[in-house]
Amino acid sequence: MSSELARAAYETLEPYHVLAYFNPYAGAAARRAGLDELGLYVGARGAPLGRCPSAVVTATFANFTPAYVHHGWSQALSVGLPAAEAARTEALDHALRDALGERIDAAELRTIVGALRVGIVEAPYAGRPLAAAWAAHPWPDEPHLQLWHAISVVREHRGDGHLAALTLAGLTPVETLVLHEAPHPNPAVRRRTMGKKGLLRTRGWTEDDWDAASESLREKGILDAEGAMTAAGSGLYDRLEAQTDAAAATLWAAVPEADETLRLARPFVKAVIDIGYLPGTKPRATTPD
């Protein structure tokens, strides 16, 4: 299966996944579980790894500071990983029901999940620890949550491959963030960026860390004096993305009727975007308590 399909799948399905962490129910669900924002994110995302040192979770997340991961993971371990997952699922279930409405009972959900499960079962997991943990983790019962779980496995499979490419490129965690946010000379290249401020807040790095990584990339000829990608930098960025797509294609090669599966998934993802909970989407008129 082509790298182009793997890329299209990533661009299509990602909003459905990130709804778990960007919705108006997450904060209250986390507080009821005795967690803060980091405890919910780190605990729920890392839960399939089981009780392990925070250094293991840091290694699989890659671009968060060890201190941030340790804080969130310690919280999750203190309340129990199942409690962190339950809080995530509670908030996600509410948000998906808001978004999908009558689509929550659509027969297409089971068709999409069935196709993705075939690919997940057949996919290679060597060198992909977080994806392997998610693939082996128990699945929820409801089809709309099963779809989220399947997309999460696919996402972590891609992510593990991306981290391998970044590691081989010799980039530090902060350098990868700076490179990803740097202006690309080709405006046609589609990218999901969060912005420096958002990345520093959510990943735990400081302004000094960012400046040091930027200077390092300039010394390597990857960024210019203004912080934009040089020709060498954009070439590196494009190669990293191509390698990531090629590695992700190994899972999609086993998904039956993969193009049709993505076509069926698009209305569900569009509904998630249209509810207005995700950053950059239209705001909702009223916010649930």
Side-chain angles (χ1 to χ4, degrees):
M1 193 59 64
S2 70
S3 295
E4 289 78 12
L5 176 63
R7 185 71 186 186
Y10 167 65
E11 293 178 346
T12 297
L13 301 176
E14 182 73 356
Y16 200 97
H17 172 83
V18 297
L19 185 66
Y21 304 106
F22 294 101
N23 68 73
Y25 304 101
R31 289 190 294 273
R32 284 193 292 271
L35 300 167
D36 61 17
E37 179 182 359
L38 272 175
L40 178 67
Y41 177 82
V42 175
R45 184 183 173 199
L49 294 168
R51 297 186 68 91
C52 62
S54 64
V56 175
V57 185
T58 301
T60 59
F61 284 17
N63 59 31
F64 292 73
T65 64
Y68 257 39
V69 175
H70 181 74
H71 170 86
W73 192 240
S74 296
Q75 269 196 20
L77 291 180
S78 70
V79 304
L81 296 178
E85 287 192 282
R88 187 270 324 283
T89 302
E90 174 192 339
L92 173 65
D93 182 48
H94 278 300
L96 282 174
R97 289 181 183 278
D98 288 349
L100 298 182
E102 294 181 355
R103 285 192 178 93
I104 203 81
D105 296 317
E108 290 86 351
L109 275 173
R110 296 184 184 277
T111 301
I112 300 163
V113 171
L116 292 178
R117 289 189 84 149
V118 173
I120 288 167
V121 169
E122 298 295 328
Y125 291 95
R128 293 179 168 92
L130 191 53
W134 270 90
H137 206 54
W139 287 59
D141 295 326
E142 298 86 351
H144 64 290
L145 294 176
Q146 289 179 343
L147 177 57
W148 184 86
H149 185 92
I151 290 172
S152 297
V153 178
V154 172
R155 183 183 193 263
E156 300 299 1
H157 186 276
R158 178 186 179 84
D160 285 342
H162 187 56
L163 295 185
L166 294 173
T167 300
L168 287 173
L171 296 173
T172 68
V174 192
E175 286 176 343
T176 66
L177 297 177
V178 173
L179 176 62
H180 184 71
E181 293 298 313
H184 193 290
N186 182 359
V189 174
R190 297 178 59 182
R191 298 189 297 156
R192 284 192 175 96
T193 57
M194 181 180 288
K196 173 183 173 181
K197 183 178 179 181
L199 287 173
L200 292 181
R201 181 184 70 82
T202 58
R203 269 61 175 175
W205 304 104
T206 66
E207 290 275 358
D208 287 344
D209 294 325
W210 190 276
D211 291 344
S214 299
E215 180 59 28
S216 175
L217 292 177
R218 283 192 289 269
E219 291 175 354
K220 295 175 182 178
I222 293 172
L223 296 184
D224 63 21
E226 285 71 42
M229 295 181 195
T230 61
S234 61
L236 171 62
Y237 178 90
D238 294 345
R239 286 194 300 275
L240 290 170
E241 293 299 309
Q243 290 167 350
T244 301
D245 293 338
T250 58
L251 184 151
W252 285 97
V255 176
E257 302 295 334
D259 288 305
E260 175 65 6
T261 298
L262 283 184
R263 187 190 70 79
L264 290 176
R266 286 191 176 96
F268 297 95
V269 179
K270 185 178 185 300
V272 165
I273 295 170
D274 288 347
I275 196 65
Y277 291 163
L278 300 181
T281 60
K282 64 181 182 180
R284 188 177 173 87
T286 58
T287 302
D289 294 331

